[in-house]
Amino acid sequence: MARKLEELQKQYNSASQQLKNMRGGRGPGGPGGMAMRQAGKPKDTAKTIARMLSYAKGYGGRFIGVLCCMLTTTLTSLIGSYFMAPIVDRLALAVNPNAEINMSVFERIADSVIQKILASTGHPSDAIMPYIAIACILLATVYLVGVATTYTQARLMLSISQNTIEKIRNDLFSKLQRLPVRYFDSHPTGEVMSRFTNDVDNIDMMINNSLTSLVSGIITLIGTFIFMVTTNWVLTIITIVFIPLFLLGGGAIAKRSRKYYAAQQAALGALNGYIEETVTGSKVVKVFNHEEICEEEFMLLNEDMRNKQFGANFWGGVMGPIMGNMSQISYAVTVGIGGIMMILGKLTPGGLTVFVTYTRQFSMPVNMIAQQMTTVFAALAGAERVFEVMDTPPETPDAENADPMSNMQGFVVMKDVTFGYVPDKIVLKNINLYAKPGQKIAFVGSTGAGKTTVTNLLNRFYDIEQGTITIDGVNIKDIKRDVLREKIAMVLQDTHLFTGTIMENIRYGRLDATDEEVIQAAKTASAHSFIMRLSDGYNTVIEGDGANLSQGQRQLLNIARAAISKAPILVLDEATSSVDTRTERHIEHGLARLMNERTTFIIAHRLSTVRNSNAIMVLEQGEIIERGDHDDLLAQKGRYYELYTGKRELA
Amino acid sequence: MKKWFKYVRPYLLYFILGPIGIIMEVVGEVIMPRLLAIVINNANAGTLTTGTSMGVMGLMILTALLMMAGGVAGSYFGTKASVNFAADVRKDVYANIQRFSFANIDKFSTGSLVTRMTNDVTQVQNFVNMLLRMTLRAPGMMIAALVMALILRPKLTTIFAVSMPLLLLSIGAIILRGHKFFRAMQAKVDGLNATVQENVTNVRVVKSFVREDYEIEKFGTANRNLKEAGMRAMKNMIMLSPVMTIFMNATVIAVIMFGGPIVVRGDMPVGDLSAFITYTTQILMSLMMITFMLMMSSRAMASANRIQEVLQEEPDINDRNAAYRDLTVQKGSVEFRNVTFRYYKTSEDAVLEKINLQIPQGATVGIIGSTGCGKTTLVSLIPRLYDVDEGAVFVDGVNVKNYTIENLRNGVGMVLQQNTLFSGSIAENLRWGDENATDEEMKQAAEYAQAAKFIESFKDGYETLLDQGGTNVSGGQKQRLCIARALLKKPKILILDDSTSAVDTATEAQIRKAFKEDLADSTKIIIAQRISSVEHADMIVVMDDGKITGIGTHDELLESNEEYREIYDSQMELRKKEG
């Protein structure tokens, strides 16, 4: 039974939202690649700008250079246009010597410069061809200066922006490494990723393009205005009268376009969400003969998209022609009035030629500035979010007299430990336990009983508020955090590997390990034989998160990575859950050797894995409800016995 | 190109009207300087009157209004064309994916299919949109301006013969060079993002091994490399604007130098010279636009090809040769006869080699063996998720190829290893098995799969909404929902591919019990890791490296099959000790 459109929209819009959070990055594209960027308005613009500027510190000289270049560039382009006036007017005079030419201020200056050169080279003042030649040489010089400054400005700006962005990225990443694990619990990967991608990109774009466009736009605007006024103030007023009209028209269209755009994004989100899900799950679709229903539902979303997309694209696209041609009307009026002024002798033909060029130049920066403001606001909002991450408090620093624990034995004691991830929701209650060096302690219990939490407290991923944990009699809060973590080797439930060779991944456990030690560790973890079967052996590059290896193989690499570290404490959190039982049996000896020398905490789903432990803790809702070794617990005929004999379910 | 025309034809009118609107705008744009020239020339000749001025102004405003109309129409029809085009392409791509076999899907991978349907379609759509509104505009503009320039002064246009190719060459060279640099930069960007992603997801690993500084250093290097690659790319690109300006201005100066004498001779009015200069700018600007378009189009072409690949892909499993169109699966017996299968038809090692296996109706069969030995592949051949290379698979004595796919798959319920639940309520998900199932039937299926209890513990019961991918239920619960979904089909053959790995032993035993008592007639094929999952089966198949190494009951295999014994020992050591 195909669902209705509204239902689909509701479900898949939220689904695609989640997906975006999970994946991060740009989201599933769409013509709104731009809109997928989180826009929004900055909250405290002044503060953010000040902080951005602090990144540009040290580039003061270059900034001044950029500014000078910009001024020169704009000036040259204005002067370049202006040289046309004396050329046109002198040509007109040459053809019609009786014409009355009433030059404006700048035109007179340009004309007198050319005349002076003309005189100094020994030409008569009415020699029109040498006059034009000199004008052209001057024009070429002006243009060349303009080209040189344009390039210099771009080059300077490039080095400022790239260095600034590099620094922001480095700072952000360093900060990320110092944030507590807790931060990542409340911030999904996608969100953190979008700080690096969208937000930093926006800042980059702002520094690189918008900033220069904005400043040069303003300079051009002012410069053009001055030249226009000096050429003819009446025509200038006409041009200016049109500006509010532009803004009004532009604003009205932009408003509509935004409305349709939002609708399109919602439709796109739902459509892409649906595609993601049903194409990714297409094997299930086929097993259940569900193809027709999927097609029907897809059609609904696709048709909806068709309608919404039209509105958004049309209103977005119509902006250009309407605005552009509005400036054509202002151009037309300028020509008409200009004609009358020429008849009245208040304007030269050259002046009009130049003026209409300026009319066009004038409307350009107005549009551009309006456009760039959007980018600038998006970038500032992005910068604000980036700084927010940088301002998040890091893991509490070590106390000054923190114990470096150079010779840790691994005697772990937990006393009255009570803990909750959020204040009002207790996950662990009154946990007491001790583990002598070399002992094995196992945790058994349903999902959410708090097994993993216990180990998370041990290495201070989270700090406890109540109770104490000591290692060799020292409170873990008084041990240097880095040392503490280095002394606890962890094999985590989720098998996370890094892009790089297998050798590098195993060596992650101890950076100074030799190749032989790496191979030895791999043998201990029974990973050696499958590694040797890979095309490049230990030099095989693992892609992404080890996607080219099976889950079981990745777990073996995780074990090897832990095996190579010389930590006196070992935590195995569902370390062999995906390894098939035959292989598991093979690595048992290796694991046994590993555990022999270390205090080990084991969390396992398969009860067979924990039976050899010195003590088994049965956790339920954060409390240890039974403890003892395997035989004790079976004899107790309590929860463990029920679980073991299959009388009870482990959720 | 011809392949795309199919999507153009229904909207041909829009595809034609759009560019017409744009051309209207372009024509107006080249008429404007001509009108200005009238005023200037008259002024120079001293013949300008208020009437002429106002007349020209009126004409110009009219032209501007017509241009606006043309632009709006171009936008309207262009959007209509591109939006409909894209929607139709999407529809066809989706429909074709629905017809794909597993092998077709594997060939592309689902991730790539999603990208093709979303990003690539959007790329092509944007390109069509641009083509209709911009690409035609630039050449149109260039031609119109050239024509006007030719009318004004044919000889002066020879200047373009020199400057245009030079401009084209230098811009082309910069862009081509840039292409390489940008590709290198993109690779570095991807790499950097991957590093960040990895570090965020692996934060616990980094912290537990105290590798923060190591990672920061690694990132710093990657970041510096990215900066350098970015600098190289950008340094090249910032050449564009100066180079363009030089050519543009040089051409303008040349026009003045060569045009000046003509004016002085009285062969051309001054106004025409400034109009000519305007055309010069228009021509060179459009030329540049065309170059950019070409660059953009290469990206769109790549996307277009990727979409065509999906559209052209022939679903390799279909009903065409089904001999018995109305035959449905009645009993549920299965036979593999000399079956050989390879995923890659060129590879030497077969995934399954000469498999012979008979499964009677109603039997419970366990399949066990190490990872990668071909268990999943074997069962996938029953509902024809893949077709055999050699030999044949029979259901109820009929070759599976002789059923229609729909009838065959309706008779076979399969719980895949990568089980997927979809956005929607639990009830909606379960009803995938049978959309007409009554609430009672649905609850019954959930009961058998040991899912009823936890579903009812949810506040909204069967109406509980599942997130995409079912992330709001635990792994074990997800597996049980998937089993219930398959049970609702009331299949004659039920296949569970390692579908209870996250379900604890006790619950699994209850599911097994339900299967035995309530689904006695169905044939049940269970792939498992744990011996306990299969030990009570009527028949256990032990596989190794694409071959069956043993078939028999638990006791028989313990006697005769070394591999089975080894697996058993590893799992049952303790029980034996106690026993």
Side-chain angles (χ1 to χ4, degrees):
Chain A
M1 241 178 320
R3 285 167 283 182
K4 294 213 172 60
L5 178 64
E6 298 77 43
E7 223 176 315
L8 288 167
Q9 278 172 332
K10 218 174 92 206
Q11 281 172 4
Y12 287 94
N13 233 327
S14 61
S16 72
Q17 286 304 320
Q18 280 166 7
L19 204 76
K20 236 167 32 197
N21 289 339
M22 267 159 53
R23 296 261 168 84
R26 291 253 145 82
M34 287 287 288
M36 288 284 186
R37 292 159 186 270
Q38 282 168 306
K41 284 188 179 132
K43 288 178 216 125
D44 190 345
T45 315
K47 214 173 107 195
T48 312
I49 291 176
R51 198 150 167 196
M52 293 275 300
L53 282 178
S54 75
Y55 269 94
K57 229 187 268 163
Y59 301 116
R62 278 179 237 189
F63 263 122
I64 292 170
V66 168
L67 213 62
C68 292
C69 284
M70 267 186 211
L71 277 170
T72 323
T73 310
T74 315
L75 211 63
T76 53
S77 108
L78 290 172
I79 293 174
S81 317
Y82 221 93
F83 260 98
M84 294 307 295
I87 293 175
V88 169
D89 287 340
R90 285 287 162 187
L91 275 173
L93 263 179
V95 177
N96 184 6
N98 301 325
E100 224 178 287
I101 298 290
N102 190 3
M103 290 185 177
S104 65
V105 191
F106 288 109
E107 191 178 346
R108 268 205 302 278
I109 297 173
D111 183 56
S112 66
V113 171
I114 301 170
Q115 288 287 0
K116 264 194 197 123
I117 300 173
L118 201 61
S120 68
T121 48
H123 291 284
S125 68
D126 60 346
I128 183 66
M129 282 326 291
Y131 182 95
I132 289 174
I134 290 165
C136 281
I137 291 167
L138 283 177
L139 201 56
T141 319
V142 169
Y143 283 149
L144 278 179
V145 171
V147 166
T149 48
T150 309
Y151 182 77
T152 318
Q153 168 209 321
R155 190 70 187 68
L156 285 174
M157 212 53 220
L158 183 63
S159 89
I160 296 175
S161 70
Q162 295 294 320
N163 282 312
T164 311
I165 292 300
E166 185 195 15
K167 189 154 188 314
I168 291 179
R169 273 207 203 98
N170 272 340
D171 283 3
L172 188 60
F173 189 81
S174 305
K175 180 65 196 203
L176 226 51
Q177 293 292 350
R178 305 283 174 228
L179 288 174
V181 171
R182 198 183 279 278
Y183 179 86
F184 298 93
D185 295 342
S186 53
H187 298 80
T189 311
E191 200 188 309
V192 179
M193 283 302 294
S194 96
R195 293 297 88 79
F196 270 92
T197 50
N198 298 347
D199 292 341
V200 173
D201 276 358
N202 274 344
I203 299 174
D204 188 11
M205 219 151 67
M206 177 182 82
I207 302 179
N208 233 333
N209 298 328
S210 315
L211 223 53
T212 40
S213 311
L214 214 57
V215 175
S216 84
I218 292 170
I219 296 177
T220 311
L221 209 59
I222 296 169
T224 313
F225 183 71
I226 292 171
F227 277 79
M228 280 166 92
V229 171
T230 57
T231 310
N232 193 300
W233 61 271
V234 178
L235 292 184
T236 311
I237 290 173
I238 292 173
T239 310
I240 289 181
V241 164
F242 274 93
I243 290 179
L245 230 65
F246 283 169
L247 295 180
L248 235 66
I253 297 172
K255 206 170 135 195
R256 247 170 222 254
S257 144
R258 263 200 302 277
K259 194 183 91 194
Y260 282 102
Y261 199 76
Q264 177 200 255
Q265 285 313 105
L268 181 74
L271 180 70
N272 282 352
Y274 192 82
I275 292 173
E276 284 263 5
E277 187 174 291
T278 55
V279 173
T280 310
S282 58
K283 292 196 174 179
V284 176
V285 171
K286 286 173 205 310
V287 167
F288 283 93
N289 279 330
H290 220 67
E291 293 96 327
E292 270 167 39
I293 292 176
C294 280
E295 247 182 279
E296 240 172 85
E297 292 185 342
F298 174 82
M299 286 282 276
L300 285 177
L301 290 166
N302 197 30
E303 289 311 307
D304 180 50
M305 177 70 177
R306 199 194 290 257
N307 299 332
K308 303 272 167 62
Q309 206 170 36
F310 175 74
N313 282 9
F314 174 67
W315 284 106
V318 92
M319 178 80 118
I322 290 184
M323 296 295 281
N325 293 316
M326 261 164 81
S327 78
Q328 295 282 9
I329 293 178
S330 119
Y331 178 90
V333 174
T334 311
V335 171
I337 308 285
I340 293 170
M341 298 199 70
M342 282 195 291
I343 297 169
L344 297 174
K346 297 265 200 278
L347 184 72
T348 63
L352 183 63
T353 317
V354 174
F355 199 92
V356 289
T357 319
Y358 285 153
T359 313
R360 290 205 161 158
Q361 264 181 26
F362 199 64
S363 62
M364 246 172 356
V366 173
N367 287 339
M368 201 172 66
I369 290 170
Q371 262 172 32
Q372 296 298 347
M373 286 318 274
T374 336
T375 321
V376 170
F377 279 124
L380 286 178
E384 216 159 60
R385 284 190 291 267
V386 168
F387 293 143
E388 217 172 83
V389 176
M390 291 190 190
D391 292 341
T392 311
E395 291 188 281
T396 46
D398 289 328
E400 249 172 63
N401 53 352
D403 198 328
M405 290 291 260
S406 47
N407 191 21
M408 191 188 277
Q409 301 299 312
F411 187 22
V412 179
V413 177
M414 293 195 182
K415 207 173 159 205
D416 294 329
V417 172
T418 296
F419 175 79
Y421 291 99
V422 281
D424 53 339
K425 215 177 148 198
I426 286 171
V427 179
L428 289 179
K429 216 154 116 197
N430 289 322
I431 301 292
N432 284 290
L433 67 84
Y434 68 91
K436 287 188 205 144
Q439 275 193 330
K440 276 174 285 199
I441 310 292
F443 296 97
V444 173
S446 359
T447 318
K451 296 167 297 184
T452 303
T453 310
V454 177
T455 61
N456 277 342
L457 298 181
L458 187 62
N459 62 8
R460 289 187 68 196
F461 276 173
Y462 302 89
D463 277 331
I464 47 171
E465 305 284 332
Q466 291 176 49
T468 51
I469 302 174
T470 60
I471 296 178
D472 296 358
V474 183
N475 190 322
I476 54 169
K477 286 185 182 175
D478 297 328
I479 303 174
K480 273 189 191 289
R481 189 189 285 103
D482 285 1
V483 174
L484 173 74
R485 288 184 183 160
E486 244 163 17
K487 302 280 184 191
I488 304 171
M490 295 204 114
V491 182
L492 297 170
Q493 199 167 1
D494 303 313
T495 50
H496 290 307
L497 298 169
F498 293 87
T499 306
T501 63
I502 289 192
M503 184 73 88
E504 285 164 358
N505 265 287
I506 297 176
R507 191 173 282 142
Y508 206 84
R510 184 156 54 85
L511 296 179
D512 59 1
T514 63
D515 287 3
E516 284 69 40
E517 286 174 310
V518 169
I519 293 168
Q520 194 49 52
K523 280 182 178 158
T524 304
S526 288
H528 182 73
S529 57
F530 93 77
I531 294 172
M532 292 314 285
R533 262 184 275 132
L534 296 173
S535 54
D536 293 320
Y538 281 86
N539 292 322
T540 306
V541 173
I542 298 174
E543 288 151 26
D545 201 0
N548 44 354
L549 297 176
S550 79
Q551 189 69 18
Q553 290 170 330
R554 286 157 60 182
Q555 283 197 332
L556 296 185
L557 289 183
N558 267 355
I559 293 169
R561 183 169 66 187
I564 207 165
S565 86
K566 289 177 172 162
I569 300 171
L570 179 67
V571 174
L572 301 174
D573 188 352
E574 295 281 6
T576 55
S577 58
S578 296
V579 178
D580 66 82
T581 40
R582 252 175 105 200
T583 315
E584 191 181 9
R585 199 178 175 218
H586 285 308
I587 63 172
E588 236 167 38
H589 301 291
L591 276 177
R593 206 166 347 124
L594 214 62
M595 293 191 279
N596 222 350
E597 306 147 0
R598 296 167 160 98
T599 311
T600 310
F601 295 90
I602 311 168
I603 297 168
H605 196 92
R606 294 185 198 148
L607 295 180
S608 57
T609 335
V610 306
R611 62 181 183 265
N612 292 326
S613 308
N614 298 83
I616 299 168
M617 313 277 161
V618 183
L619 275 170
E620 197 174 281
Q621 290 179 335
E623 285 182 275
I624 297 176
I625 54 165
E626 280 171 32
R627 64 171 84 207
D629 68 17
H630 178 73
D631 294 332
D632 290 345
L633 288 176
L634 282 186
Q636 276 182 29
K637 301 237 165 172
R639 180 63 47 85
Y640 185 79
Y641 175 83
E642 287 179 348
L643 286 171
Y644 194 80
T645 52
K647 284 196 180 137
R648 210 180 172 91
E649 159 175 5
L650 208 59
Chain B
M1 271 301 119
K2 226 168 83 191
K3 289 172 243 157
W4 291 107
F5 188 66
K6 183 177 159 201
Y7 301 100
V8 172
R9 199 186 336 235
Y11 311 108
L12 200 57
L13 191 65
Y14 300 146
F15 272 87
I16 293 167
L17 286 178
I20 287 180
I22 299 297
I23 285 168
M24 233 165 95
E25 204 184 355
V26 169
V27 169
E29 214 153 307
V30 296
I31 287 175
M32 284 295 213
R34 196 79 198 84
L35 292 172
L36 173 67
I38 296 174
V39 174
I40 303 254
N41 290 342
N42 273 313
N44 278 336
T47 53
L48 186 67
T49 63
T50 314
T52 319
S53 291
M54 289 296 113
V56 168
M57 181 171 93
L59 270 177
M60 282 178 108
I61 292 178
L62 188 71
T63 314
L65 287 176
L66 283 175
M67 283 165 75
M68 201 182 284
V72 171
S75 177
Y76 180 85
F77 293 115
T79 309
K80 272 249 178 244
S82 64
V83 164
N84 283 312
F85 170 87
D88 285 2
V89 170
R90 253 195 319 263
K91 193 174 76 190
D92 276 9
V93 175
Y94 193 81
N96 207 37
I97 293 175
Q98 295 308 313
R99 281 191 293 276
F100 273 10
S101 73
F102 275 34
N104 292 128
I105 295 171
D106 293 341
K107 187 174 153 195
F108 289 102
S109 93
T110 54
S112 154
L113 286 174
V114 170
T115 327
R116 285 167 203 245
M117 273 211 73
T118 52
N119 287 352
D120 287 334
V121 170
T122 307
Q123 281 287 340
V124 172
Q125 177 182 1
N126 285 348
F127 177 71
V128 171
N129 198 11
M130 203 176 67
L131 187 82
L132 290 178
R133 292 171 47 189
M134 312 276 285
T135 315
L136 288 174
R137 183 194 173 92
M141 181 82 181
M142 197 171 83
I143 292 165
L146 257 175
V147 168
M148 292 304 274
L150 273 167
I151 293 172
L152 269 180
R153 206 74 214 170
K155 266 199 186 146
L156 268 184
T157 49
T158 42
I159 295 171
F160 300 142
V162 181
S163 65
M164 276 171 65
L166 279 177
L167 178 68
L168 209 61
L169 272 177
S170 38
I171 291 182
I174 294 175
I175 288 175
L176 276 183
R177 219 166 79 105
H179 222 65
K180 198 181 70 195
F181 288 138
F182 272 109
R183 258 214 309 275
M185 185 179 93
Q186 195 51 47
K188 295 267 191 313
V189 171
D190 293 345
L192 195 82
N193 286 346
T195 309
V196 176
Q197 173 119 36
E198 230 167 63
N199 269 278
V200 174
T201 47
N202 295 8
V203 58
R204 284 156 198 268
V205 180
V206 176
K207 283 190 186 300
S208 72
F209 286 101
V210 196
R211 293 286 174 263
E212 289 96 335
D213 290 326
Y214 172 77
E215 291 294 337
I216 289 171
E217 202 182 306
K218 234 170 61 182
F219 179 86
T221 315
N223 196 11
R224 199 164 44 250
N225 287 339
L226 168 62
K227 181 186 79 174
E228 276 154 18
M231 283 282 235
R232 263 195 297 280
M234 297 299 287
K235 262 189 212 162
N236 181 58
M237 284 320 267
I238 58 176
M239 300 281 289
L240 261 186
S241 154
V243 166
M244 255 170 48
T245 321
I246 286 179
F247 275 103
M248 187 89 79
N249 293 332
T251 313
V252 169
I253 290 175
V255 170
I256 297 171
M257 290 297 288
F258 290 106
I262 305 174
V263 175
V264 175
R265 279 203 310 273
D267 287 350
M268 178 167 78
V270 189
D272 287 8
L273 183 65
S274 40
F276 200 95
I277 291 173
T278 311
Y279 293 136
T280 307
T281 1
Q282 283 175 346
I283 289 169
L284 296 185
M285 280 295 231
S286 343
L287 193 65
M288 225 175 52
M289 283 296 273
I290 295 171
T291 330
F292 280 122
M293 299 291 164
L294 285 177
M295 188 176 67
M296 302 264 264
S297 69
S298 74
R299 222 176 126 195
M301 285 305 144
S303 287
N305 287 336
R306 283 157 53 84
I307 295 168
Q308 277 298 343
E309 273 169 28
V310 181
L311 284 171
Q312 299 299 315
E313 178 80 8
E314 274 297 319
D316 68 354
I317 293 181
N318 54 51
D319 287 341
R320 249 171 262 157
N321 298 318
Y324 312 117
R325 301 220 149 245
D326 299 322
L327 186 66
T328 55
V329 179
Q330 294 297 333
K331 297 203 221 64
S333 69
V334 179
E335 185 189 350
F336 290 85
R337 207 179 287 164
N338 266 324
V339 168
T340 298
F341 179 80
R342 298 176 169 79
Y343 280 107
Y344 303 101
K345 304 306 165 204
T346 48
S347 66
E348 267 179 39
D349 288 336
V351 179
L352 294 175
E353 220 176 319
K354 297 233 155 39
I355 298 282
N356 282 293
L357 179 64
Q358 280 192 322
I359 300 170
Q361 179 199 358
T364 301
V365 179
I367 303 180
I368 207 156
S370 55
T371 322
C373 69
K375 295 171 294 193
T376 301
T377 314
L378 184 75
V379 296
S380 300
L381 299 177
I382 303 171
R384 270 189 91 192
L385 303 180
Y386 296 95
D387 268 345
V388 295
D389 291 330
E390 288 161 38
V393 180
F394 299 87
V395 168
D396 289 354
V398 177
N399 190 326
V400 288
K401 291 182 179 174
N402 286 328
Y403 290 94
T404 62
I405 293 171
E406 188 173 352
N407 285 339
L408 177 67
R409 290 186 187 163
N410 271 338
V412 181
M414 184 160 177
V415 184
L416 297 172
Q417 211 169 354
Q418 328 144 279
N419 42 35
T420 313
L421 293 169
F422 295 85
S423 309
S425 67
I426 289 180
E428 278 170 345
N429 266 284
L430 295 185
R431 285 214 168 92
W432 272 55
D434 174 7
E435 56 179 276
N436 300 316
T438 63
D439 286 0
E440 279 63 45
E441 286 172 311
M442 184 174 71
K443 282 176 187 163
Q444 186 68 75
E447 200 78 52
Y448 291 157
Q450 307 302 315
K453 225 188 283 171
F454 79 80
I455 296 173
E456 277 150 22
S457 78
F458 292 151
K459 190 167 66 78
D460 297 325
Y462 286 84
E463 293 311 313
T464 305
L465 287 179
L466 295 175
D467 293 341
Q468 178 165 16
T471 42
N472 51 348
V473 287
S474 79
Q477 292 173 334
K478 205 164 120 184
Q479 286 186 333
R480 282 180 273 167
L481 287 175
C482 288
I483 294 172
R485 179 173 65 182
L487 287 180
L488 205 52
K489 259 174 117 171
K490 301 198 187 69
K492 296 288 175 271
I493 301 168
L494 177 68
I495 301 169
L496 303 186
D497 186 358
D498 206 4
S499 320
T500 51
S501 58
V503 178
D504 62 278
T505 336
T507 312
E508 197 194 352
Q510 281 168 313
I511 296 175
R512 259 199 324 270
K513 195 170 144 228
F515 280 2
K516 198 171 175 182
E517 288 168 8
D518 303 303
L519 295 167
D521 292 343
S522 302
T523 309
K524 292 154 293 264
I525 303 174
I526 299 165
I527 295 179
Q529 296 266 355
R530 289 186 287 222
I531 292 271
S532 62
S533 312
V534 297
E535 91 185 292
H536 306 290
D538 303 319
M539 175 170 138
I540 300 168
V541 178
V542 186
M543 290 187 70
D544 189 31
D545 202 18
K547 293 187 195 73
I548 292 177
T549 60
I551 301 178
T553 61
H554 177 67
D555 293 332
E556 287 166 6
L557 287 171
L558 273 187
E559 281 293 311
S560 62
N561 190 291
E562 192 186 335
E563 197 193 344
Y564 188 78
R565 207 162 42 233
E566 198 183 323
I567 300 171
Y568 180 78
D569 286 349
S570 71
Q571 294 179 18
M572 296 296 149
E573 223 166 72
L574 189 85
R575 277 193 194 180
K576 266 202 292 187
K577 247 194 275 171
E578 281 180 352

